Amino acid sequence: MSKVTSQFQADGVLARTLHGFRPRASQSEMAAAVERTLTKKSQLVVEAETGTGKTFAYLVPVLLSDGKAIISTGTKALQEQLYHRDLPALRDALAPRKMVALLKGRANYLCLHRMNQAVAHSGELNKEQQSQLVEVRKWAQRTEDGDVGAINILQEDAAILPSVTSTVDNCLGRDCPDYDDCYLVKARKRAMDADLVVVNHHLFFADMALKDVGFGELVPQSDAVVFDEAHQLPDIASQYFGEAVSSRQLQELAHELKVLYLTELKDLKQLDKAADKLLGSLKDWRLVFPHDAMRGNWRQFSQQESVRMAAHMVAEHLGFLRDVCKNALGRSQDLDNAYERCVQFLHKWDQLQEVDRTGFSFWFETTVRQVTLHQTPLSVADKFGGYLERSDMAWIFTSATLAVGEDFSHFTNQLGIDQAETLCLSSPFNFAEQALLCLPRYLPQPHEREMPKALLEVVEQVLDHNHTGGTFVLFTSHRMLQIIAKQLEERTDRPLLVQGSTSKRELLQQFIAAGNGILLGTSSFWEGVDVRGDALRCVIIDKLPFASPDDPLLQARVEDCRLRGVDPFAQVQLPQAIIALKQGAGRLIRDADDRGVLIVCDQRLVTKPYGGVFLQSLPAMRRTRDLAVALEFLDTLEKSE
């Protein structure tokens, strides 16, 4: 027995430090595999289903190993949990001398220079932003780490935050007058000195793509990288190996230059005029796109004459702003920085108009006020796989959902991982006793008009039999969510929590506190949500989570498959949907004592040949097609309280 696996025994460190710890064979097996990978500096891909205890299965060998390690998570919530809850006790017990650091993306840290700028021109802010700025300044007097997530009085998307945080574009780096007091610099310094650094996937790939200057020194110095929630990696990596320009970025640039005119460069009236011209052309640019928020194929959309003209005007006014800045170089550090951004944005803008290049998906996404253009590579396998091959490091990829059946090729092929050991660990939970899967008969097909009414009836029947427990209703579209939410408001007096009404963290806290709440959510609630006990007794899924056929990145990948003579449904669409369904189903049973019902309201699970592949990938729950049986199971849970 190795030093690592001995920690997982009944008399090991986990039993001493974790209340209620029970040895699990799958957890020890994963820990041993991680230990081998760290020693050999090789690659490991592990699917560890819910209940395996994968977090401690990689933390223990990492803490007991020599050298520096990076743990990368898919969400800030897991990042915080690792750093504040899981790591401290383990580190104290196993490796008290090891230094541990938490590093977030720059948008999470207060920028003193930009806060001071916001104060200097607070008259330009609306009343809500002014009020929020007052709260930020009060908090700034007492914060130690500058993490704006700690300003509890502000929502996650508070309007003032972009004005008091920095981006890689507007950061002045060492030329900043507040550089010595910069919270981001201090956080990076702690990360550079630490033995173990907890980051997230977005930050990791920003570093790999060399977009976030300064953090790039961290990864080459590491001996090991562990990716938790690794199923998110292919899409996140694609974003960072691509290019994007948003109208919001250009608007922020123009507004910053208008502030510079009002504060430092009052004689440079042309700067103000040039910024206004760009702002005007950006408003016209938004108007050539449909009003509703959407994603679309930029390659096709850009062929319209009105779109080409609007894009040309943005480029012309951005070029004019660049020339005005160029003529005033040297007068202000902020202006010099803005000039460099003008040059970079103009280059990207021109590049994004050249849509006849192959190997990329060109797409756009809009909100009510903004438009973002994207150029995304169809494959990151060569870049990322090459990085793995050249590095002298251990690489560990783990998630509760990576395989289709026991086949990892969908995941490994996307990232160019071709030399990894693979391991598929089933959950120690007794799903056959703890859970019931119901696929109700007689429901309409997902696309039929009658489906919203039928889904609402299922939800209402569940609520009638799940009085004292909580219910998740997970949707694949915001449209269906809003239809059901509107109807339920009039039909229940139970706590009804709807995604978008407040922050995800706040919604979950309210749901758990309620005990018998109803939470309606889309994609962000399908994963990374951990509600245990009776607070969540039933998960209802409206339909199989196939990506929208209108999604431009999916369209590009499908077209690429066809050109290569590969079946796009089997290669791309089906594996993604299976992994997504496994994530949604994984919300139900989070503990050995949990009990509950999973209801999937999609007839395709039994009418289509591929339905069997979905069912094989789900935990081994008892199954029924009779909704009455599922409701009876919920009744037994009510009585057993």
Side-chain angles (χ1 to χ4, degrees), residues 5 69 75 144 149 198 233 252 265 282 305 388 547:
T5 53
T75 59
E144 293 185 4
V198 182
L233 290 181
E252 286 177 354
L265 305 169
L282 289 169
E305 183 62 26
L388 296 187

Side-chain angles (χ1 to χ4, degrees), residues 16-314:
R16 295 196 302 271
T17 57
L18 298 179
H19 176 69
F21 172 79
R22 286 174 283 190
R24 285 165 279 186
S26 54
Q27 189 177 46
S28 293
E29 186 179 354
M30 177 173 169
V34 172
E35 182 183 24
R36 287 195 303 274
T37 305
L38 294 172
T39 303
K40 296 178 183 176
K41 290 195 172 181
S42 55
Q43 300 164 18
L44 173 69
V45 179
V46 186
E47 177 175 279
E49 290 183 1
T50 306
T52 304
K54 63 182 169 61
T55 303
F56 290 98
Y58 64 70
L59 282 180
V60 169
V62 164
L63 284 168
L64 290 175
S65 68
D66 296 327
K68 181 172 185 139
I70 291 176
I71 310 288
S72 181
T73 73
T75 59
K76 282 193 284 188
L78 180 56
Q79 201 181 355
E80 298 259 1
Q81 177 186 309
L82 272 173
Y83 183 74
H84 294 294
R85 193 183 82 184
D86 297 336
L87 264 171
L90 271 185
R91 190 203 66 166
D92 291 347
L94 291 172
R97 293 188 178 181
K98 281 209 167 186
M99 292 177 61
V100 178
L102 176 70
L103 185 61
K104 297 182 179 180
R106 65 166 64 245
N108 293 278
Y109 297 98
L110 177 70
C111 174
L112 295 169
H113 177 59
R114 286 179 58 75
M115 182 183 72
N116 293 333
Q117 278 189 319
V119 171
H121 68 90
S122 56
E124 300 287 310
L125 303 174
N126 62 39
K127 287 186 178 179
E128 181 189 23
Q129 290 172 313
Q130 289 177 355
S131 173
Q132 291 173 349
L133 182 58
V134 170
E135 296 300 330
V136 171
R137 292 186 72 192
K138 287 180 186 175
W139 169 81
Q141 299 298 315
R142 60 180 186 272
T143 182
E144 293 185 4
D145 60 9
D147 186 343
V148 295
I151 314 177
N152 294 328
I153 199 166
L154 296 186
Q155 288 193 340
E156 290 179 359
D157 60 350
I160 195 61
L161 290 179
S163 299
V164 296
T165 56
S166 70
T167 67
V168 69
D169 299 316
N170 61 31
C171 176
L172 299 178
R174 292 185 179 275
D175 295 321
C176 179
D178 295 295
Y179 182 82
D180 291 337
D181 297 317
C182 177
Y183 292 112
L184 178 63
V185 170
K186 290 176 180 177
R188 285 177 170 164
K189 175 71 166 60
R190 288 192 294 271
M192 292 293 292
D193 295 338
D195 301 295
L196 193 157
V197 188
V198 182
V199 302
N200 59 60
H201 300 341
H202 286 278
L203 185 56
F204 185 91
F205 281 101
D207 161 66
M208 270 194 72
L210 301 178
K211 287 188 176 182
D212 209 347
V213 178
F215 176 52
E217 302 165 13
L218 264 182
V219 177
Q221 291 184 0
S222 299
D223 298 285
V225 179
V226 179
F227 291 107
D228 201 343
E229 298 176 320
H231 62 279
Q232 299 179 9
L233 290 181
D235 284 343
I236 293 175
S238 293
Q239 293 175 35
Y240 283 95
F241 290 130
E243 296 287 359
V245 176
S246 73
S247 55
R248 178 174 177 170
Q249 288 175 302
L250 301 180
Q251 285 169 338
E252 286 177 354
L253 173 63
H255 284 302
E256 287 169 28
L257 288 170
K258 284 176 70 65
V259 170
L260 269 180
Y261 163 69
L262 292 170
T263 53
E264 293 183 48
L265 305 169
K266 295 179 180 178
D267 60 323
L268 198 58
K269 180 66 177 173
Q270 198 175 29
L271 183 64
D272 190 49
K273 286 183 178 179
D276 280 337
K277 280 181 176 292
L278 178 58
L279 288 171
S281 63
L282 289 169
K283 286 180 182 176
D284 293 339
W285 167 243
R286 177 62 187 90
L287 290 173
V288 299
F289 291 84
H291 177 266
D292 293 336
M294 64 172 293
R295 284 183 167 196
N297 188 318
W298 174 235
R299 213 180 235 130
Q300 294 174 359
F301 198 80
S302 64
Q303 302 308 308
Q304 300 176 44
E305 183 62 26
S306 60
V307 176
R308 283 205 297 265
M309 286 297 298
H312 174 73
M313 293 310 296
V314 170

Side-chain angles (χ1 to χ4, degrees), residues 346-514:
L346 198 55
H347 173 70
K348 286 184 184 179
W349 188 266
D350 290 341
Q351 194 177 37
L352 285 160
Q353 311 310 312
E354 299 171 5
V355 294
D356 54 347
R357 287 171 293 131
T358 57
F360 296 93
S361 168
F362 291 92
W363 56 286
F364 67 86
E365 58 184 334
T366 66
T367 64
V368 175
R369 296 184 181 85
Q370 310 295 335
V371 180
T372 305
L373 299 183
H374 295 268
Q375 169 193 298
T376 304
L378 295 181
S379 172
V380 297
D382 289 343
K383 280 192 175 182
F384 189 73
Y387 195 98
L388 296 187
E389 197 174 322
R390 292 189 299 272
S391 72
D392 183 27
M393 299 161 62
W395 296 84
I396 294 132
F397 305 84
T398 186
S399 170
T401 53
L402 286 177
V404 176
E406 293 193 3
D407 181 9
F408 288 91
S409 60
H410 173 70
F411 174 76
T412 55
N413 290 347
Q414 288 183 88
L415 291 174
I417 305 170
D418 53 15
Q419 297 175 5
E421 176 188 354
T422 60
L423 191 59
C424 209
L425 299 171
S426 58
S427 173
F429 296 158
N430 186 351
F431 283 100
E433 292 293 328
Q434 293 178 244
L436 180 70
L437 169 62
C438 179
L439 313 173
R441 288 192 186 95
Y442 312 126
L443 290 179
Q445 292 298 326
H447 64 277
E448 292 179 339
R449 256 187 332 190
E450 298 83 7
M451 188 59 199
K453 182 182 177 184
L455 178 61
L456 182 64
E457 287 176 1
V458 171
V459 174
E460 287 189 294
Q461 289 184 68
V462 165
L463 297 180
D464 287 341
H465 292 262
N466 189 26
H467 296 286
T468 58
T471 304
F472 267 13
V473 190
L474 300 179
F475 298 87
T476 57
S477 75
H478 285 278
R479 177 181 163 276
M480 182 68 90
L481 180 149
Q482 294 302 330
I483 291 172
I484 300 300
K486 189 174 181 181
Q487 298 283 336
L488 273 180
E489 278 177 6
E490 304 163 0
R491 303 186 185 211
T492 183
D493 55 2
R494 303 258 285 272
L496 180 61
L497 306 162
V498 181
Q499 181 177 339
S501 59
T502 185
S503 70
K504 179 179 176 181
R505 184 188 302 177
E506 180 64 24
L507 282 174
L508 283 171
Q509 286 174 350
Q510 291 180 26
F511 180 80
I512 293 168

